[in-house]
Amino acid sequence: GDLPLIKEPALLIRCALNIAYGNECTKASAQSCGECIQAGEKCGWCTDEDFLKQGEQKSTRCDEIEALIKKGCSKASIEDPRGTVTVNKNQSLTDRTQDGVKLKPDQITQIQPQKLTLDLRSGEAQTFNLTFKRAEDYPIDLYYLMDLSYSMKDDLENVKNLGTDLMFEMQKITSDFRIGFGSFVEKTVMPYISTTPAKLLNPCTSDQNCTSPFSYKNVLSLTADGSQFNNLVSKQQISGNLDSPEGGFDAIMQVTVCNQIGWRNVTRLLVFSTDAGFHFAGDGKLGGIVLPNDGKCHLQENMYTMSHYYDYPSIAHLVQKLSENNIQTIFAVTEEFQPVYQELKNLIPKSAVGTLSSDSGNVIKLIIDAYNSLSSEIILENSRLPEGVSISYISHCKNGVSEKGENGRKCSNISIGDQVRIISSSCPSKGKSETIKIKPLGFTEEVEIVLNFICECECHEDGIPNSPACHFGNGTLECGACRCNEGRIGRVCECSKDEVRTEDLDANCRMDNGTDICSNNGDCVCGTCECKKRDNPEERYSGKFCECDNFNCDRSNNKLCGGHGRCECRKCICDANYTGSACDCSLDPSTCLASNKQICNGRGTCECGVCKCTDTKFQGPTCEICPTCPGVCTEHKDCVQCRAFGTGDKKDTCEKECSYFNLIIKKKKEELPQPNDQPYINHCKERDANDCWFFFTYATKNDSTVEVHVAEELECPSGPDIIPIVAGVVAGIVLIGLALLLIWKLLMIIHDRREFAKFEKEKMNAKWDAGENPIYKSAVTTVVNPKYEGK
């Protein structure tokens, strides 16, 4: 059916030149500005003529921008050209109908912009938006190519009315529809057909009336008259051949490349209908045909006349021609050959496969379904890329899914956007400009992209040939450096390759006769040392004889110059507030401040940011720790006591020993200074001879004066209260007695119970023997009557 309009940007293309990152600028050993900017996106060239230090190579001018600035090159002297995007043609998208008027196919615009120019620099990405919108009611040309071998006899009957029926259905999709018809059988040579005279006239059995075999015949060029299609197709007759595969590829090639078909620059559909397989390149050898297919049109009177001369085309050849001519293929094949043509579909972009019923009765539905499938998918294709240039795609489809790689070229159900990245590793050898084209497969419209490669710097155009600065005109002064004429060498082209002997040149590269050439850190070029490069671009040799470097200075904490200076000619040049051979001595005293804001607590000196304690009793980072010293309160207790209260051990020598502080008397301890008033203060609580507590604070000011605040009010302990003590003692004794009695009573109960239990146990275990007392006499006497007989 009709496809929805796409009003959003449909395709995003990203173009860039790129090479590997890392140390590409210094590793390139660029001898000119042009070589430098091709080394990488971040590379710049310093054009300042005085930039190079003695012994440094010309390639030192090429480095990353930040590195050049650190080396002393001003930003204005750095060549760093950037790429640009210019839109040359940007016609707006159009529909088929505009202002009530139907546009011609060549007036419809479905892709925007149409032409761009990209100035590309190595490694730098350029991005632009590309919009695609499929126009409604877009014209369609459909060519029906049918296999007329004998097995397709019943299919031909159903195809005879295809023209008007298909025209009716396609009117629902487009008002501008044309249809054409062609047929094919096989090459007219053995072993594909029988070449006996009778079989050439009628290849079928004697009771069947078949037409002579042929390779391909254009029956009807594209026309809008469906009835003409029916009329001509109804006159067609079945033919025959010997082998099962058919010569369909020959027919497809001729349909694709021949102008007689009448293709317009619109949607082009080719329906290929068969119930058999296909021959391809190489199979022609069976018939003695060895010349490869030339991909050209050979129709005479609508018949392909060179089938006996040229081999079948290859699949790749067909793909190329179909793509060049924007033809989308629909394979209508029987179920038996579905797997074969599915594999073929995977090799041919913008193609579809439909299952044809045995009599082709479902061909119209098959065509409509295949067209809807093809038209709902967009596949991007690009022309051949310049050498060293590659292209990749990232699609952003309507369903929100993004794909990369080959899947990034296409979107189903209409594309919303695509991102294309073009990468080049070098400037092309043919010139500075190349043109590529990107288009959606199956459409004639395309985007033309002109690639201009930035291979030279702007300062290259301002070069001064035969400049006096290049040793009396022996080179071109270009971008701050000399580009020597043929046969000249040296940083300023001062030497000729043929005039000076190597021994003489080497002598100028030694500090004295006994040392290595260029201190073994460089090469002697034209009597001048050119120092070697290090793997680390931050490390470099310098000096007339490469005797200096910036990485062999003293280290501190495993850092060059302690991380507080720079290394020049193997000597540290320290930053402000640092000194020492490794710049490890800080002149900043802040690290020596004690908690009382005094340098080293007034008991040492600050050297290189570290306290050296002069008083041996004190230690620690700020000389504040004294393991053998009494506390501040204990140390000054006697002096405070004698000056504030006139008591204590030093009351007799108070004036002599205790005048080192200023005494300030306060009435209560609550009035003494608090930490918020003076941050560095000691609060003390000491006991006098009367066991009374007195309170004072001790503080050292920034000017080293000591200030003591003392509270007049003492805290003395009161006498003991006798009554509670006596009552407590009596109560304690009584309670202890009661507790002892209770314990005794408890122990007695436990003992009695144990004894009773023991008695009960023995009683249960006792055993008594029963016997007759020998002295016992019974109180009863029994007398027996002698006369009694028991009767």
Side-chain angles (χ1 to χ4, degrees):
D2 294 346
L3 297 175
L5 296 179
I6 302 301
K7 300 189 180 294
E8 300 90 351
L11 225 54
L12 179 67
I13 295 188
R14 179 180 176 89
C15 303
L17 283 159
N18 185 30
I19 65 172
Y21 290 107
N23 296 325
E24 63 265 83
C25 304
T26 54
K27 287 182 177 179
S29 296
Q31 298 300 308
S32 67
C33 187
E35 292 179 14
C36 179
I37 63 172
Q38 292 181 52
E41 178 190 9
K42 298 181 180 179
C43 301
W45 178 271
C46 184
T47 60
D48 186 353
E49 294 183 27
D50 301 323
F51 170 70
L52 292 181
K53 295 180 181 178
Q54 200 168 35
E56 289 186 329
Q57 300 179 27
K58 192 190 300 183
S59 59
T60 307
R61 292 180 179 274
C62 182
D63 207 336
E64 294 184 357
I65 307 301
E66 293 181 3
L68 289 175
I69 294 173
K70 285 182 181 179
K71 291 177 183 178
C73 186
S74 64
K75 210 165 186 178
S77 300
I78 298 176
E79 278 284 331
D80 182 30
R82 296 284 116 191
T84 58
V85 176
T86 305
V87 179
N88 307 112
K89 187 177 180 182
N90 193 26
Q91 294 180 355
S92 300
L93 303 176
T94 59
D95 292 322
R96 176 75 192 278
T97 304
Q98 198 166 18
D99 298 328
V101 179
K102 280 194 175 183
L103 300 178
K104 295 180 180 179
D106 56 358
Q107 295 176 321
I108 300 173
T109 302
Q110 299 182 105
I111 197 164
Q112 181 186 11
Q114 294 79 38
K115 184 177 180 180
L116 302 99
T117 299
L118 272 62
D119 295 326
L120 297 178
R121 176 187 164 168
S122 177
E124 184 186 18
Q126 300 298 327
T127 304
F128 64 89
N129 290 331
L130 189 152
T131 306
F132 177 84
K133 184 186 77 171
R134 184 177 179 84
E136 289 184 324
D137 194 26
Y138 195 68
I140 298 174
D141 284 353
L142 185 147
Y143 193 87
Y144 194 92
L145 183 59
M146 184 174 181
D147 176 9
L148 284 189
S149 60
Y150 187 77
S151 59
M152 293 287 285
K153 181 179 180 181
D154 55 344
D155 299 79
L156 180 60
E157 294 299 321
N158 285 319
V159 174
K160 288 179 180 180
N161 296 320
L162 178 64
T164 52
D165 294 344
L166 185 59
M167 188 77 70
F168 175 77
E169 291 295 331
M170 293 300 287
Q171 289 289 343
K172 299 175 183 178
I173 297 175
T174 176
S175 60
D176 189 353
F177 175 72
R178 299 197 311 166
I179 189 169
F181 183 83
S183 57
F184 67 91
V185 181
E186 185 56 276
K187 289 183 180 295
T188 55
V189 296
M190 283 288 290
Y192 311 111
I193 66 167
S194 174
T195 55
T196 61
K199 289 293 183 182
L200 285 175
L201 293 175
N202 184 1
C204 304
T205 57
S206 57
D207 60 335
Q208 298 290 336
N209 186 21
C210 297
T211 188
S212 299
F214 57 91
S215 177
Y216 161 67
K217 177 167 59 177
N218 176 33
V219 177
L220 175 66
S221 297
L222 291 163
T223 178
D225 188 353
S227 59
Q228 185 183 6
F229 179 95
N230 292 351
N231 184 38
L232 287 175
V233 172
S234 62
K235 297 178 181 180
Q236 300 305 305
Q237 287 182 293
I238 291 296
S239 184
N241 62 319
L242 296 179
D243 62 341
S244 176
E246 315 293 3
F249 277 15
D250 274 340
I252 292 176
M253 179 62 76
Q254 294 304 301
V255 171
T256 301
V257 300
C258 288
N259 295 328
Q260 291 94 317
I261 305 301
W263 294 112
R264 297 177 294 172
N265 285 331
V266 297
T267 299
R268 300 174 175 181
L269 300 178
L270 171 60
V271 179
F272 182 83
S273 175
T274 184
D275 64 350
F278 49 83
H279 285 297
F280 52 88
D283 288 354
K285 293 180 180 179
L286 295 173
I289 303 172
V290 294
L291 283 178
N293 194 287
D294 64 353
K296 295 180 181 179
C297 181
H298 297 287
L299 287 186
Q300 291 184 9
E301 297 180 358
N302 289 324
M303 295 289 289
Y304 178 38
T305 58
M306 302 296 285
S307 67
H308 64 286
Y309 191 75
Y310 289 115
D311 194 5
Y312 302 99
S314 66
I315 295 175
H317 199 181
L318 275 184
V319 170
Q320 177 191 353
K321 292 300 180 179
L322 289 169
S323 177
E324 286 177 0
N325 292 277
N326 304 304
I327 295 175
Q328 304 176 57
T329 311
I330 300 172
F331 295 106
V333 298
T334 55
E335 187 172 0
E336 178 186 356
F337 288 94
Q338 274 283 314
V340 175
Y341 284 90
Q342 282 290 350
E343 292 297 325
L344 183 61
K345 167 190 172 294
N346 295 334
L347 300 174
I348 302 179
K350 290 295 278 185
S351 62
V353 177
T355 303
L356 192 68
S357 61
S358 58
D359 60 355
S360 296
N362 67 332
V363 67
I364 293 180
K365 183 178 184 304
L366 184 153
I367 292 173
I368 298 296
D369 291 345
Y371 170 75
N372 289 334
S373 173
L374 289 172
S375 59
S376 66
E377 181 180 58
I378 290 177
I379 302 176
L380 282 182
E381 180 191 52
N382 53 268
S383 60
R384 186 174 180 180
L385 300 172
E387 184 180 356
V389 176
S390 62
I391 189 167
S392 60
Y393 297 82
I394 301 176
S395 64
H396 302 285
C397 302
K398 191 175 182 179
N399 53 10
V401 176
S402 293
E403 296 284 353
K404 297 181 180 180
E406 283 303 308
N407 289 331
R409 289 177 175 266
K410 56 189 176 182
C411 270
S412 297
N413 300 321
I414 300 302
S415 172
I416 291 296
D418 224 333
Q419 188 179 71
V420 183
R421 184 177 178 86
I422 299 176
I423 302 174
S424 175
S425 58
S426 62
C427 285
S429 57
K430 294 182 181 179
K432 293 184 179 180
S433 181
E434 296 281 353
T435 300
I436 64 171
K437 294 180 180 179
I438 296 178
K439 69 174 183 178
L441 275 176
F443 295 86
T444 57
E445 296 176 66
E446 60 190 11
V447 179
E448 182 180 344
I449 304 171
V450 179
L451 304 179
N452 292 327
F453 299 91
I454 302 175
C455 301
E456 286 290 353
C457 301
E458 292 182 9
C459 58
H460 171 73
E461 302 296 333
D462 301 326
I464 305 173
N466 304 318
S467 170
C470 299
H471 198 72
F472 306 108
N474 285 314
T476 300
L477 184 61
E478 179 185 296
C479 301
C482 286
R483 180 177 282 185
C484 299
N485 296 336
E486 186 68 27
R488 304 295 298 187
I489 56 175
R491 202 160 83 175
V492 291
C493 313
E494 65 270 29
C495 292
S496 170
K497 293 181 179 178
D498 304 323
E499 292 176 356
V500 184
R501 292 185 302 128
T502 304
E503 293 80 2
D504 298 332
L505 295 177
D506 290 349
N508 295 327
C509 296
R510 304 176 190 268
M511 290 184 68
D512 54 62
N513 290 332
T515 57
D516 295 326
I517 295 175
C518 299
S519 305
N520 207 27
N521 293 324
D523 300 316
C524 187
V525 179
C526 190
T528 302
C529 285
E530 288 194 357
C531 303
K532 294 177 181 176
K533 287 187 177 182
R534 303 269 298 174
D535 290 337
N536 183 351
E538 299 295 326
E539 299 177 355
R540 57 186 180 275
Y541 295 105
S542 60
K544 182 178 180 181
F545 303 103
C546 301
E547 74 278 12
C548 296
D549 62 59
N550 68 341
F551 55 88
N552 271 324
C553 291
D554 290 342
R555 294 176 179 266
S556 178
N557 294 327
N558 204 30
K559 292 182 181 178
L560 193 67
C561 296
H564 303 300
R566 64 185 187 278
C567 181
E568 292 188 2
C569 203
R570 303 186 179 183
K571 184 178 180 181
C572 286
I573 307 299
C574 299
D575 298 337
N577 289 329
Y578 285 93
T579 186
S581 62
C583 299
D584 53 352
C585 182
S586 174
L587 301 179
D588 184 5
S590 61
T591 56
C592 296
L593 286 179
S595 58
N596 59 5
K597 292 296 182 182
Q598 287 186 302
I599 299 294
C600 299
N601 196 31
R603 303 181 185 279
T605 58
C606 186
E607 298 178 8
C608 297
V610 179
C611 282
K612 297 292 180 67
C613 302
T614 53
D615 190 334
T616 56
K617 293 190 298 180
F618 289 85
Q619 60 187 33
T622 53
C623 302
E624 291 183 275
I625 301 172
C626 181
T628 61
C629 295
V632 172
C633 297
T634 305
E635 181 181 358
H636 302 289
K637 165 190 171 184
D638 292 337
C639 282
V640 172
Q641 192 176 1
C642 77
R643 288 190 61 182
F645 305 105
T647 59
D649 296 340
K650 293 185 178 181
K651 63 180 179 179
D652 297 331
T653 59
C654 189
E655 197 170 319
K656 179 181 178 182
E657 297 183 16
C658 300
S659 58
Y660 58 86
F661 60 84
N662 297 326
L663 182 66
I664 301 170
I665 303 297
K666 299 290 183 180
K667 285 213 175 275
K668 297 182 178 180
K669 66 177 181 179
E670 289 79 8
E671 298 177 8
L672 295 177
Q674 300 302 313
N676 292 335
D677 302 328
Q678 297 185 38
Y680 306 104
I681 190 170
N682 291 288
H683 284 258
C684 301
K685 177 183 178 181
E686 294 294 333
R687 192 192 298 271
D688 62 12
N690 298 322
D691 286 337
C692 291
W693 296 99
F694 65 94
F695 302 88
F696 67 93
T697 62
Y698 184 94
T700 303
K701 299 291 186 181
N702 289 334
D703 56 1
S704 298
T705 60
V706 179
E707 198 172 74
V708 176
H709 292 71
V710 183
E712 283 185 322
E713 188 176 78
L714 303 177
E715 286 188 3
C716 296
S718 57
D721 195 348
I722 301 300
I723 294 175
I725 294 174
V726 171
V729 171
V730 171
I733 293 172
V734 171
L735 289 173
I736 292 171
L738 289 174
L740 291 174
L741 287 173
L742 287 173
I743 292 170
W744 175 81
K745 181 63 176 174
L746 180 63
L747 291 174
M748 290 304 295
I749 291 172
I750 293 171
H751 179 266
D752 289 346
R753 286 183 177 178
R754 285 179 177 174
E755 289 296 324
F756 181 74
K758 184 178 179 181
F759 169 76
E760 287 292 330
K761 184 178 180 181
E762 290 179 352
K763 181 179 177 182
M764 294 294 294
N765 294 334
K767 294 181 179 179
W768 303 96
D769 295 331
E772 196 173 299
N773 191 346
I775 63 174
Y776 172 75
K777 290 186 177 182
S778 175
V780 180
T781 302
T782 304
V783 179
V784 180
N785 188 353
K787 295 292 187 177
Y788 178 68
E789 295 179 354
K791 294 183 179 180

